[in-house]
Every structure is written in structure tokens, then in C-alpha cells.
Amino acid sequence: MFSSLSRRAIIMGSVAFAFSALVTVQSKAADSKQETIKVGVVSGPEEDLAVVAKDVAKTKGLNVQLIDFDDYNLPNEALVGKDIDANAFQHIPFMDAQVKARGYKLAVVGKTWVEPLGFYSHKIKNIKDLPDGAKIGIQNDSSNQGRALNLLAKQGLITLRKDAPKLPSLGDVAENPHHYDFVELDAAQLARSLDDVTMASINTNYVISAKIDPKSVLLQEDRLHNPYANIIVVRQGDENRPEIKTLVESFQSDAVKKAMEDKYHGAILPAWQ
């Protein structure tokens, strides 16, 4: 026979188990009540920051399911096809080009971060030391080459034709008074070219992968009002959905900003401030 002490222990154990089960059921019920949205991202630093935003959203009662894409042409197609509710991977010029080419009906609901394109060097420490006849590595694709040339023109190092497009090419250079020798390379090769050129234009993702110190940049695009800031995009008509507003707040949070500072040290910057 059980002693009264044993019976009491069994009863207390049963109560504890019942209470634990009740808490578990309530927790699952609370989770089930959370709104869930699917957000398209691309692998790399952007996905790492999106994970932080996802964690913030969960504290706000929103469950964010990140859908990873490895092809930049797919997230907008998935959004229009209603396979996802939003995406966070592109800048406005890219979106505008896809809208023009494919007739997508998309809307921008907020900015996330900017990955400023910049010029780096192993040979000079200051842009003022750039010599005449310097060999300058520059991207061979139209988008990034245009960004690099605009940056050089803003600094007064070259002059572009008055009727040059927003994304100029080397053919749009009207004046090159310092006789710079431009070397066109694939964007992925420019970080490896720094021993062979005086300076090179390098995209942020390659700055990070090559472990170049972001603070060593000689010239860099502006953070604020940068047309290449990344954005959160939804289908037209979904702009005012409460869960979309929560998503934007989560991406524009102090936690995401701190993650940028801690992990990328100025290579990626908040675009919403």
C-alpha cells in the first residue's frame, strides 16, 4: 500500500503534468493564432539580416516564413503568382525594369538597407592620391558600371555627356582629364584585381566575401536617398495589410540595425534613417 506521503507525491506530480500540458496546449494555440506571411529573400547577407527581422516580427505576433531564392528574376514572379506575400531583395531600378518588361503590378512599402558601391585600393589610402593615368577597375555590366561612373563624376574625376542616361557607360564619358585607364572586369573579379590596378569599384557582397575592410573605402555612394537602397515589395493593393506594416517595422528595427553594425561594420547600412 502507498503511504500518505507517496499518494501526495503522485497527486502533486499529476497536477504538475496537467499544468505543463495545459501550458503547452495554450502556447501552441497562441502560435496558431499568429498571422503567417511568406517573404522572398536571396541567400547571403540579406538573408542573414532577414532572419533577424523575422525574430523581431515574432515578438510582434507575426510569423514570417522566409523563402530563399538563388535567381534574382524569380522573387517578383513568385510575388505576382501569390506564392509569397512580399519580398526583400531588390532596389527600385531593378523593380522598375522588371515592371516595364513584364507588366508586374508591384508596390514599395519600405526601405531596408543599402549596400553602397565603392572604390577600394591596395596602393593608395586617399582618393586625393589617385595619380594621373591611374588604372581603374570597373564592372563590365551596365548597371554597376553606370553606378561607378556616376560616383567618379560626382567626385569631379570625370565628366559625363549632358544627355547621358541615368546609368551611363564608358562611351558616355565626355572628359577624362586625368587620362585614367579603365579596365572592365566581371564584378566578381574586381576584388581580386586590386594588386593589378590602382583602385577598383567593388560591390558590397564582394567586399564582404573578400574580407576587405569597409572603412578603407576611397569613394562610396551615399547612404540616404540612394536609388539602390533595398526595398520591401508587395502586390499592389496589399500595402495597408496590418501584417505588412508589422513586417516593415521589423525590418526597420534597432535589432536589424545592430546586426548590420556588428557583422558588416559599415559595408551594409540602414536605408530608412
Side-chain angles (χ1 to χ4, degrees), residues 170-188:
L170 284 172
D172 295 307
V173 176
E175 296 180 18
N176 181 11
H178 300 284
H179 309 289
Y180 298 133
D181 179 14
F182 290 101
V183 180
E184 296 181 81
L185 294 170
D186 183 81

Side-chain angles (χ1 to χ4, degrees), residues 7 70 78 85 98 110 116 130 136 142 144 161 177 189 211 227 251:
R7 285 196 299 272
D70 57 10
D85 300 282
Q98 287 218 322
L130 186 66
I136 299 177
S142 59
N144 287 308
R161 292 188 298 107
Q189 297 178 349
K211 297 183 178 179
F251 268 90

Side-chain angles (χ1 to χ4, degrees), residues 4-37:
S4 60
L5 182 61
S6 297
R7 285 196 299 272
R8 188 187 310 167
I10 292 172
I11 292 170
M12 292 299 292
S14 300
V15 170
F17 176 80
F19 178 75
S20 176
L22 177 61
V23 169
T24 300
V25 170
Q26 288 177 335
S27 176
K28 288 183 178 179
D31 286 343
S32 67
K33 290 180 181 178
Q34 282 197 325
E35 187 72 34
T36 297
I37 62 172

Side-chain angles (χ1 to χ4, degrees), residues 190-239:
L190 285 162
R192 297 193 294 270
S193 77
L194 287 176
D195 289 333
D196 302 315
V197 299
T198 313
M199 71 175 187
S201 169
I202 305 177
N203 295 83
T204 295
N205 56 322
Y206 297 119
V207 170
I208 293 170
S209 62
K211 297 183 178 179
I212 297 171
D213 181 3
K215 296 179 181 178
S216 70
V217 67
L218 301 173
L219 284 178
Q220 189 177 50
E221 291 176 330
D222 294 333
R223 173 170 67 91
L224 295 179
H225 311 298
N226 189 316
Y228 303 102
N230 279 27
I231 50 177
I232 300 172
V233 177
V234 298
R235 292 181 294 275
Q236 286 184 7
D238 285 352
E239 298 96 320

Side-chain angles (χ1 to χ4, degrees), residues 26-81:
Q26 288 177 335
S27 176
K28 288 183 178 179
D31 286 343
S32 67
K33 290 180 181 178
Q34 282 197 325
E35 187 72 34
T36 297
I37 62 172
K38 296 181 179 180
V39 180
V41 296
V42 293
S43 57
E46 294 92 343
E47 184 178 16
D48 293 341
L49 294 172
V51 169
V52 179
K54 172 184 176 178
D55 292 340
V56 173
K58 193 166 185 63
T59 68
K60 297 175 179 288
L62 178 65
N63 181 37
V64 175
Q65 183 179 351
L66 297 176
I67 308 298
D68 187 25
F69 293 90
D70 57 10
D71 183 335
Y72 280 83
N73 291 306
L74 295 180
N76 282 333
E77 182 178 330
L79 180 57
V80 172

